[in-house]
Amino acid sequence: MFKVWIDAGHGGKDPGAVANGIQEKDITLKVSLGIKERLEETYENVQVLLSRSTDVFLELRDRTAKANAAGADVMVSIHCNAGGGKGGFESFRYTSASQNSIKLQETLHKAIMSKLGRIDRGQKSKNLHMVRESKMPAVLTENLFIDVAADADRLKQATVIDAIIDGHVQGIATYLGLKSKPVKEDKPVTQQRDINIPSKWAEETWKEVTDKGFFDGSRPGVPITREEVGIVVSRLLKYIDLKG
Ligand SMILES: [Zn+2]
């Protein structure tokens, strides 16, 4: 069972970036809950653990301590950006990241950008607590800018939140090599038949073989056993004999 640690940035008394009528802590929580639901629903053999699943404050050291203690296979910390400019998406690994962290960042970044479309600010490295103190491959994502009006408008759209969730889910699944759960197919709609009434297409033949005594005429709609075939063949042979 793979363990994925998802860290929703900020929370409680720490709202993160606040502008354009949105708070970073709300977006990061929404995205994190969405990643857990979709990853566990779509893929086999994976469990998603969360730093927080409600609007509570957590110290950074508690977040990484919990992820390390849980023995998570990967850690992704979810944030939104601020600082003005043109906006867009960027991701961070630690300044001296492991090969696996670099691979996780590469996979995640590409998957998220393919869903978001624009603007790619690049795969970066920085001395950030969450990616430095996590023992497992770790990446921090900055999902659009709260204080850039065009990005804030996008973050208010359910389809954009959905794209961010989807990108993270696909990136993590690709990195871990997760196997999709079999698609639940609806059972084909079949007409319930009355086994005591012959099908329309078999009516004439059924009448003929019952008139001749090969079948006793009961339950035309049930499967036949070898013994019953034997009886029918025996009756047929006697019939041919009589004829002969
Ligand atoms: Zn943040």
Side-chain angles (χ1 to χ4, degrees), residues 9-10 16 24 79-80 142:
H10 312 278
E24 183 184 351
H79 286 258
C80 295
E142 292 279 6

Side-chain angles (χ1 to χ4, degrees), residues 12 33 35 63 76 79 81-82 109 114 122 127 129 138 152 158 175 183 195 198 224 231 241:
L33 293 172
I35 293 170
R63 296 167 185 258
V76 182
H79 286 258
N81 232 326
H109 192 100
S114 81
N127 184 12
H129 174 97
Y175 174 81
V183 178
I195 56 154
I224 191 164
I231 289 165
D241 247 349

Side-chain angles (χ1 to χ4, degrees), residues 205-219:
T205 309
W206 186 247
K207 187 178 185 310
E208 188 193 345
V209 296
T210 51
D211 281 351
K212 290 198 166 95
F214 303 141
F215 288 87
D216 63 11
S218 71
R219 301 184 304 153

Side-chain angles (χ1 to χ4, degrees), residues 152-212:
D153 283 346
R154 295 184 77 194
L155 287 169
K156 288 172 187 168
Q157 295 169 34
T159 52
V160 173
I161 297 297
D162 200 68
I164 293 170
I165 291 168
D166 228 29
H168 282 81
V169 166
Q170 289 197 12
I172 292 164
T174 303
Y175 174 81
L176 291 174
L178 298 180
K179 204 170 146 246
S180 294
K181 283 184 182 172
V183 178
K184 281 179 212 153
E185 278 179 54
D186 288 332
K187 281 184 182 164
V189 180
T190 51
Q191 198 83 38
Q192 281 294 323
R193 68 168 292 180
D194 184 343
I195 56 154
N196 297 307
I197 299 168
S199 303
K200 228 30 198 159
W201 56 267
E203 253 172 19
E204 221 179 283
T205 309
W206 186 247
K207 187 178 185 310
E208 188 193 345
V209 296
T210 51
D211 281 351
K212 290 198 166 95

Side-chain angles (χ1 to χ4, degrees), residues 26 39 59 74 128 165-166 174 177 204 224 239:
D26 296 331
L39 202 59
E59 297 286 356
V74 293
L128 298 168
I165 291 168
D166 228 29
T174 303
E204 221 179 283
I224 191 164
Y239 177 83

